[in-house]
Amino acid sequence: MSDDANLIERFLEMLVAEAGASQHTLAAYRTDLEQASAITGGRLSCADRELVSKLPSHWRKLQNSTVARKSSSLRRYFRFLVEEGFRADDPSDALPRPGSARSLPKTLSHGEIESLFRHVAEGLEREPGKAAISRLSAIMELLYGSGLRASELVTLSRSSIAGDEPFLIIKGKGNKERLVPISQQARSAVRRWMEFVDPMEKWLFPSRTGHISRIRLFQIIKEHAARAGINPAKISPHVLRHAFATHLLEGGADLRALQTLLGHSDISTTQIYTHIDSARLVELVNNRHPLSQLDLAR
């Protein structure tokens, strides 16, 4: 299977798991992406901005609504490739941009995060010897506490946890390794879960056929959200990763630090991926700007 074909399948799998996409929606995405792949000679997934800019010339005879859909399909696909670490840059700014501007990615409030972790803590207290709740605890700590991608989490090996070292060893695209900080609480959660995993097992989160799938990970997260009283439609592994970045930014982290933590090659990706609540910006100016300390009425 070619890189384009393989990555398109992974993208469609994500749409089913995260967005609950219908068969009709999947068929539309598949058609748009496979046609674009054919136009680019099977190089869509690695296409640069110049190659992507040539796609609209093949859409001249199409209705505006169809062009808008194709552009949207490709934008979402390239965003997926960047977010999952399959490429470092997003060339989709070369595509037509009909309609309204792209909305910010979904995130969770501090209160919603507290509800999710409170439900985990209650489960651990109620059934400390149950494997399912220990696995959930480890998953939540790694997704929100370390900002891992779904693909990075499901493919974690047992050897990724180096004793009591305060970091994880993550292998990304091209087998490039990066270090991801892991809190003491997360290490404790992982150690508790490892007691349920066969010492000879390769994967940290195994399944009958290898490691757990992305789809199963999405299911675990959404089931947990429902039990914690949060709308499952609001949450996914990527939403937790985005909450990790957003809350760090709100807490004072700078974009360069976030770039390192998230494993982004380009700072512009981090700028798109993170955002600050506008109300906090207003408060920041009102309370921190030097002029706010001056009484100009005197």
Side-chain angles (χ1 to χ4, degrees):
M1 183 181 289
S2 69
D3 283 347
D4 272 1
N6 178 53
L7 290 172
I8 288 171
E9 289 300 325
R10 295 185 70 161
F11 171 68
L12 296 176
E13 179 184 274
M14 180 277 294
L15 289 180
V16 172
E18 181 173 356
S22 67
Q23 290 302 312
H24 177 75
T25 298
L26 292 175
Y29 271 106
R30 182 183 295 278
T31 297
D32 292 341
L33 295 174
E34 289 181 347
Q35 288 178 351
S37 177
I39 292 171
T40 57
R43 295 184 292 131
L44 177 64
S45 302
C46 61
D48 58 17
R49 192 180 186 282
E50 182 180 357
L51 183 55
V52 170
S53 69
K54 296 177 181 178
L55 288 172
S57 66
H58 296 265
W59 303 340
R60 289 172 182 165
K61 296 181 180 180
L62 301 177
Q63 295 182 352
N64 287 340
S65 60
T66 303
V67 172
R69 191 201 71 219
K70 287 181 176 294
S71 288
S72 177
S73 296
L74 289 167
R75 287 181 193 285
R76 190 164 185 180
Y77 179 63
F78 284 123
R79 190 161 73 245
F80 163 80
L81 294 179
V82 172
E83 289 169 349
E84 292 299 317
F86 294 113
R87 64 178 295 158
D89 64 314
D90 183 348
S92 61
D93 61 348
L95 294 168
R97 192 179 287 273
S100 59
R102 169 185 161 191
S103 60
L104 290 169
K106 293 186 293 185
T107 188
L108 296 170
S109 69
H110 290 276
E112 288 169 324
I113 289 293
E114 289 172 5
S115 294
L116 289 169
F117 279 90
R118 182 168 56 251
H119 189 268
V120 170
E122 291 170 352
L124 288 171
E125 184 176 348
R126 186 171 55 251
E127 299 178 291
K130 190 173 182 179
I133 190 63
S134 292
R135 181 179 66 174
L136 175 62
S137 176
I139 286 173
M140 290 294 297
E141 290 287 351
L142 292 172
L143 288 176
Y144 177 70
S146 295
L148 299 189
R149 298 179 176 95
S151 56
E152 291 172 340
L153 184 135
V154 299
T155 56
L156 274 177
S157 65
R158 286 176 59 95
S159 60
S160 299
I161 312 297
D164 287 330
E165 295 291 345
F167 55 78
L168 288 171
I169 303 172
I170 301 294
K171 280 193 175 181
K173 185 182 178 183
N175 283 329
K176 292 181 179 179
E177 291 187 346
R178 65 185 174 97
L179 299 181
V180 177
I182 177 173
S183 68
Q184 180 61 50
Q185 186 171 327
R187 288 203 302 275
S188 296
V190 170
R191 282 198 297 268
R192 183 167 51 241
W193 161 240
M194 288 178 71
E195 294 177 4
F196 296 93
V197 181
D198 188 328
M200 301 302 293
E201 176 60 57
K202 174 181 178 180
W203 307 107
L204 181 59
F205 298 104
S207 69
R208 293 188 181 89
T209 58
H211 57 70
I212 63 170
S213 67
R214 285 167 51 94
I215 289 181
R216 182 57 190 140
L217 177 61
F218 280 97
Q219 291 171 341
I220 291 170
I221 296 300
K222 289 181 180 294
E223 289 166 1
H224 171 49
R227 289 193 295 268
I230 296 172
N231 182 356
K234 292 188 64 176
I235 192 171
S236 71
H238 182 63
V239 170
L240 288 168
R241 173 173 158 86
H242 187 64
F244 160 82
T246 303
H247 295 168
L248 276 178
L249 194 63
E250 291 175 350
D254 60 69
L255 285 178
R256 287 295 179 185
L258 285 177
Q259 179 186 4
T260 300
L261 291 171
L262 296 170
H264 290 161
S265 300
D266 191 333
I267 189 66
S268 64
T269 304
T270 312
Q271 291 170 328
I272 294 171
Y273 188 85
T274 61
H275 69 277
I276 304 177
D277 189 289
S278 59
R280 181 177 176 272
L281 288 175
V282 173
E283 180 184 2
L284 186 65
V285 171
N286 288 338
N287 296 334
R288 302 289 183 84
H289 193 282
L291 286 178
S292 68
Q293 309 301 318
L294 298 178
D295 184 358
L296 300 182
R298 292 187 299 176

